[in-house]
Amino acid sequence: MSFDIICFDCDSTLSEIEGIDELAERAGCGVEMAALTNAAMNGEVSLESVYAQRLSLIKPDHQAIEWLADLYIEKMVQGVEQVFQQLHQQGKQVHIISGGLKQAILPLAEKLNIDASHVHAVEVLFASNGDYLDFNQQSPLARNGGKAEICTQLNQAGLKMAIVGDGNTDMEAKKAGAYCIGYGGVVARDNVREQADVFVEDADLQAVLAYLL
């Protein structure tokens, strides 16, 4: 099977970290945050119920976001650059769809030659001094079903579409007709294994190419 539009999650898929947990750790509220993130990723609680809660606990300022952006790149999953290189060479339309914070993901996307307009994530709003103000509460990606909404918007033409990700929110893209590749190279979740069209456990992301090209 070959796909025209290929979407990737970011956290625990392109990079080995969960950005929000790293920010929490840095802000000194790591333990309670990791529990919230995990509950959301396993589908035990709704994403919207934890999203605002997490950010108001952390209040990530401009400096924290820049720090996280560097960490995403430093902790890139093995094989990511080769995967994106091959997809670009074959003329595929590649997107990153993440419930993470957009400004922290953009430098990683740039490194992978992904245009900023192909990065769909939640924007952080800062005060003029760089302090955290809020996040874009209108973003579909801050709630359950958001990835399916974005996939539907991206695929008005009804092309063949696939999504690669580690979490429950990625599997929701099935509703938009996406072929769901569960990626367990960083974190293997049982609920994702059950829902995915195919599940890949290899630590090297290049293992997904067999299903995409």
mmCIF file of all heavy atoms in Angstrom, residues 127-151:
data_model
loop_
_atom_site.group_PDB
_atom_site.id
_atom_site.type_symbol
_atom_site.label_atom_id
_atom_site.label_comp_id
_atom_site.label_asym_id
_atom_site.label_seq_id
_atom_site.Cartn_x
_atom_site.Cartn_y
_atom_site.Cartn_z
ATOM 1 N N ALA A 127 3.139 36.655 27.027
ATOM 2 C CA ALA A 127 3.087 38.096 27.306
ATOM 3 C C ALA A 127 4.301 38.737 26.627
ATOM 4 O O ALA A 127 5.218 38.037 26.192
ATOM 5 C CB ALA A 127 3.153 38.333 28.810
ATOM 6 N N SER A 128 4.319 40.085 26.556
ATOM 7 C CA SER A 128 5.413 40.757 25.851
ATOM 8 C C SER A 128 6.773 40.481 26.490
ATOM 9 O O SER A 128 7.801 40.531 25.834
ATOM 10 C CB SER A 128 5.154 42.258 25.791
ATOM 11 O OG SER A 128 4.925 42.742 27.103
ATOM 12 N N ASN A 129 6.797 40.153 27.778
ATOM 13 C CA ASN A 129 8.073 39.856 28.444
ATOM 14 C C ASN A 129 8.466 38.375 28.336
ATOM 15 O O ASN A 129 9.438 37.937 28.947
ATOM 16 C CB ASN A 129 8.020 40.274 29.917
ATOM 17 C CG ASN A 129 7.035 39.436 30.721
ATOM 18 O OD1 ASN A 129 6.287 38.636 30.159
ATOM 19 N ND2 ASN A 129 7.023 39.605 32.018
ATOM 20 N N GLY A 130 7.673 37.594 27.573
ATOM 21 C CA GLY A 130 8.022 36.184 27.379
ATOM 22 C C GLY A 130 7.381 35.243 28.392
ATOM 23 O O GLY A 130 7.541 34.029 28.305
ATOM 24 N N ASP A 131 6.630 35.785 29.345
ATOM 25 C CA ASP A 131 5.937 34.921 30.321
ATOM 26 C C ASP A 131 4.775 34.187 29.650
ATOM 27 O O ASP A 131 4.208 34.667 28.665
ATOM 28 C CB ASP A 131 5.371 35.767 31.486
ATOM 29 C CG ASP A 131 6.444 36.105 32.510
ATOM 30 O OD1 ASP A 131 7.581 35.608 32.358
ATOM 31 O OD2 ASP A 131 6.145 36.876 33.447
ATOM 32 N N TYR A 132 4.399 33.056 30.235
ATOM 33 C CA TYR A 132 3.269 32.291 29.720
ATOM 34 C C TYR A 132 1.962 33.021 29.996
ATOM 35 O O TYR A 132 1.719 33.500 31.102
ATOM 36 C CB TYR A 132 3.227 30.920 30.410
ATOM 37 C CG TYR A 132 1.992 30.100 30.068
ATOM 38 C CD1 TYR A 132 1.881 29.460 28.839
ATOM 39 C CD2 TYR A 132 0.942 29.965 30.977
ATOM 40 C CE1 TYR A 132 0.761 28.709 28.517
ATOM 41 C CE2 TYR A 132 -0.183 29.213 30.662
ATOM 42 C CZ TYR A 132 -0.266 28.594 29.427
ATOM 43 O OH TYR A 132 -1.386 27.853 29.110
ATOM 44 N N LEU A 133 1.119 33.125 28.972
ATOM 45 C CA LEU A 133 -0.207 33.728 29.149
ATOM 46 C C LEU A 133 -1.300 32.671 29.097
ATOM 47 O O LEU A 133 -2.112 32.544 29.987
ATOM 48 C CB LEU A 133 -0.475 34.737 28.030
ATOM 49 C CG LEU A 133 -0.182 36.212 28.245
ATOM 50 C CD1 LEU A 133 -0.702 37.007 27.054
ATOM 51 C CD2 LEU A 133 -0.818 36.724 29.545
ATOM 52 N N ASP A 134 -1.283 31.905 27.991
ATOM 53 C CA ASP A 134 -2.374 30.968 27.745
ATOM 54 C C ASP A 134 -1.969 30.083 26.570
ATOM 55 O O ASP A 134 -0.872 30.207 26.052
ATOM 56 C CB ASP A 134 -3.642 31.757 27.387
ATOM 57 C CG ASP A 134 -4.927 30.953 27.632
ATOM 58 O OD1 ASP A 134 -4.814 29.760 27.989
ATOM 59 O OD2 ASP A 134 -6.019 31.502 27.444
ATOM 60 N N PHE A 135 -2.881 29.210 26.148
ATOM 61 C CA PHE A 135 -2.656 28.469 24.912
ATOM 62 C C PHE A 135 -3.879 28.697 24.037
ATOM 63 O O PHE A 135 -4.907 29.189 24.517
ATOM 64 C CB PHE A 135 -2.440 26.971 25.195
ATOM 65 C CG PHE A 135 -3.650 26.263 25.763
ATOM 66 C CD1 PHE A 135 -4.515 25.551 24.942
ATOM 67 C CD2 PHE A 135 -3.919 26.304 27.134
ATOM 68 C CE1 PHE A 135 -5.631 24.902 25.468
ATOM 69 C CE2 PHE A 135 -5.039 25.660 27.663
ATOM 70 C CZ PHE A 135 -5.890 24.963 26.819
ATOM 71 N N ASN A 136 -3.784 28.375 22.772
ATOM 72 C CA ASN A 136 -4.918 28.560 21.870
ATOM 73 C C ASN A 136 -6.014 27.551 22.209
ATOM 74 O O ASN A 136 -5.957 26.403 21.794
ATOM 75 C CB ASN A 136 -4.450 28.394 20.424
ATOM 76 C CG ASN A 136 -5.619 28.415 19.452
ATOM 77 O OD1 ASN A 136 -6.742 28.745 19.821
ATOM 78 N ND2 ASN A 136 -5.371 28.051 18.209
ATOM 79 N N GLN A 137 -7.000 28.022 22.955
ATOM 80 C CA GLN A 137 -8.049 27.115 23.441
ATOM 81 C C GLN A 137 -8.998 26.678 22.328
ATOM 82 O O GLN A 137 -9.799 25.773 22.515
ATOM 83 C CB GLN A 137 -8.821 27.791 24.575
ATOM 84 C CG GLN A 137 -7.881 28.225 25.677
ATOM 85 C CD GLN A 137 -8.539 28.251 27.052
ATOM 86 O OE1 GLN A 137 -9.647 27.775 27.244
ATOM 87 N NE2 GLN A 137 -7.827 28.803 28.016
ATOM 88 N N GLN A 138 -8.880 27.336 21.169
ATOM 89 C CA GLN A 138 -9.734 26.958 20.032
ATOM 90 C C GLN A 138 -9.135 25.769 19.268
ATOM 91 O O GLN A 138 -9.769 25.204 18.391
ATOM 92 C CB GLN A 138 -9.888 28.136 19.054
ATOM 93 C CG GLN A 138 -10.459 29.408 19.672
ATOM 94 C CD GLN A 138 -11.716 29.146 20.481
ATOM 95 O OE1 GLN A 138 -12.662 28.567 19.959
ATOM 96 N NE2 GLN A 138 -11.726 29.538 21.734
ATOM 97 N N SER A 139 -7.896 25.427 19.571
ATOM 98 C CA SER A 139 -7.240 24.370 18.800
ATOM 99 C C SER A 139 -7.936 23.029 18.989
ATOM 100 O O SER A 139 -8.127 22.576 20.119
ATOM 101 C CB SER A 139 -5.785 24.223 19.226
ATOM 102 O OG SER A 139 -5.229 23.073 18.598
ATOM 103 N N PRO A 140 -8.294 22.368 17.876
ATOM 104 C CA PRO A 140 -8.914 21.044 18.015
ATOM 105 C C PRO A 140 -7.955 20.045 18.670
ATOM 106 O O PRO A 140 -8.380 19.045 19.234
ATOM 107 C CB PRO A 140 -9.225 20.630 16.573
ATOM 108 C CG PRO A 140 -8.512 21.585 15.685
ATOM 109 C CD PRO A 140 -8.210 22.814 16.474
ATOM 110 N N LEU A 141 -6.644 20.330 18.604
ATOM 111 C CA LEU A 141 -5.658 19.373 19.111
ATOM 112 C C LEU A 141 -5.543 19.372 20.630
ATOM 113 O O LEU A 141 -4.842 18.544 21.201
ATOM 114 C CB LEU A 141 -4.294 19.636 18.469
ATOM 115 C CG LEU A 141 -4.292 19.322 16.963
ATOM 116 C CD1 LEU A 141 -3.097 19.926 16.275
ATOM 117 C CD2 LEU A 141 -4.369 17.817 16.721
ATOM 118 N N ALA A 142 -6.247 20.292 21.269
ATOM 119 C CA ALA A 142 -6.258 20.297 22.731
ATOM 120 C C ALA A 142 -7.457 19.515 23.270
ATOM 121 O O ALA A 142 -7.774 19.572 24.445
ATOM 122 C CB ALA A 142 -6.286 21.730 23.254
ATOM 123 N N ARG A 143 -8.119 18.778 22.373
ATOM 124 C CA ARG A 143 -9.264 17.969 22.828
ATOM 125 C C ARG A 143 -9.287 16.630 22.087
ATOM 126 O O ARG A 143 -8.618 16.456 21.077
ATOM 127 C CB ARG A 143 -10.587 18.734 22.620
ATOM 128 C CG ARG A 143 -10.842 19.143 21.189
ATOM 129 C CD ARG A 143 -12.201 19.823 21.026
ATOM 130 N NE ARG A 143 -12.492 20.088 19.629
ATOM 131 C CZ ARG A 143 -12.286 21.249 19.022
ATOM 132 N NH1 ARG A 143 -11.819 22.266 19.684
ATOM 133 N NH2 ARG A 143 -12.576 21.406 17.735
ATOM 134 N N ASN A 144 -10.070 15.713 22.606
ATOM 135 C CA ASN A 144 -10.198 14.405 21.950
ATOM 136 C C ASN A 144 -10.824 14.547 20.566
ATOM 137 O O ASN A 144 -11.690 15.396 20.365
ATOM 138 C CB ASN A 144 -11.048 13.460 22.799
ATOM 139 C CG ASN A 144 -10.252 12.865 23.944
ATOM 140 O OD1 ASN A 144 -10.219 13.424 25.031
ATOM 141 N ND2 ASN A 144 -9.558 11.778 23.705
ATOM 142 N N GLY A 145 -10.370 13.717 19.657
ATOM 143 C CA GLY A 145 -10.919 13.755 18.297
ATOM 144 C C GLY A 145 -10.286 14.809 17.410
ATOM 145 O O GLY A 145 -10.594 14.911 16.224
ATOM 146 N N GLY A 146 -9.373 15.591 17.981
ATOM 147 C CA GLY A 146 -8.765 16.697 17.234
ATOM 148 C C GLY A 146 -7.943 16.246 16.039
ATOM 149 O O GLY A 146 -7.955 16.873 14.982
ATOM 150 N N LYS A 147 -7.229 15.119 16.212
ATOM 151 C CA LYS A 147 -6.387 14.653 15.101
ATOM 152 C C LYS A 147 -7.247 14.198 13.927
ATOM 153 O O LYS A 147 -6.891 14.405 12.768
ATOM 154 C CB LYS A 147 -5.443 13.548 15.565
ATOM 155 C CG LYS A 147 -4.390 14.098 16.521
ATOM 156 C CD LYS A 147 -3.217 13.176 16.725
ATOM 157 C CE LYS A 147 -2.227 13.827 17.679
ATOM 158 N NZ LYS A 147 -0.989 13.079 17.845
ATOM 159 N N ALA A 148 -8.393 13.605 14.236
ATOM 160 C CA ALA A 148 -9.321 13.211 13.166
ATOM 161 C C ALA A 148 -9.829 14.451 12.428
ATOM 162 O O ALA A 148 -9.933 14.458 11.193
ATOM 163 C CB ALA A 148 -10.488 12.419 13.746
ATOM 164 N N GLU A 149 -10.111 15.525 13.192
ATOM 165 C CA GLU A 149 -10.575 16.778 12.559
ATOM 166 C C GLU A 149 -9.523 17.331 11.604
ATOM 167 O O GLU A 149 -9.825 17.735 10.482
ATOM 168 C CB GLU A 149 -10.856 17.851 13.629
ATOM 169 C CG GLU A 149 -12.188 17.700 14.329
ATOM 170 C CD GLU A 149 -12.418 18.812 15.358
ATOM 171 O OE1 GLU A 149 -12.231 19.999 15.015
ATOM 172 O OE2 GLU A 149 -12.767 18.493 16.509
ATOM 173 N N ILE A 150 -8.265 17.360 12.056
ATOM 174 C CA ILE A 150 -7.182 17.888 11.217
ATOM 175 C C ILE A 150 -7.007 17.011 9.979
ATOM 176 O O ILE A 150 -6.871 17.512 8.860
ATOM 177 C CB ILE A 150 -5.849 17.961 12.000
ATOM 178 C CG1 ILE A 150 -5.971 18.872 13.234
ATOM 179 C CG2 ILE A 150 -4.706 18.431 11.088
ATOM 180 C CD1 ILE A 150 -6.087 20.349 12.983
ATOM 181 N N CYS A 151 -7.049 15.693 10.163
ATOM 182 C CA CYS A 151 -6.902 14.773 9.021
ATOM 183 C C CYS A 151 -7.999 14.995 7.990
ATOM 184 O O CYS A 151 -7.750 14.976 6.780
ATOM 185 C CB CYS A 151 -6.907 13.325 9.487
ATOM 186 S SG CYS A 151 -5.380 12.841 10.314
#
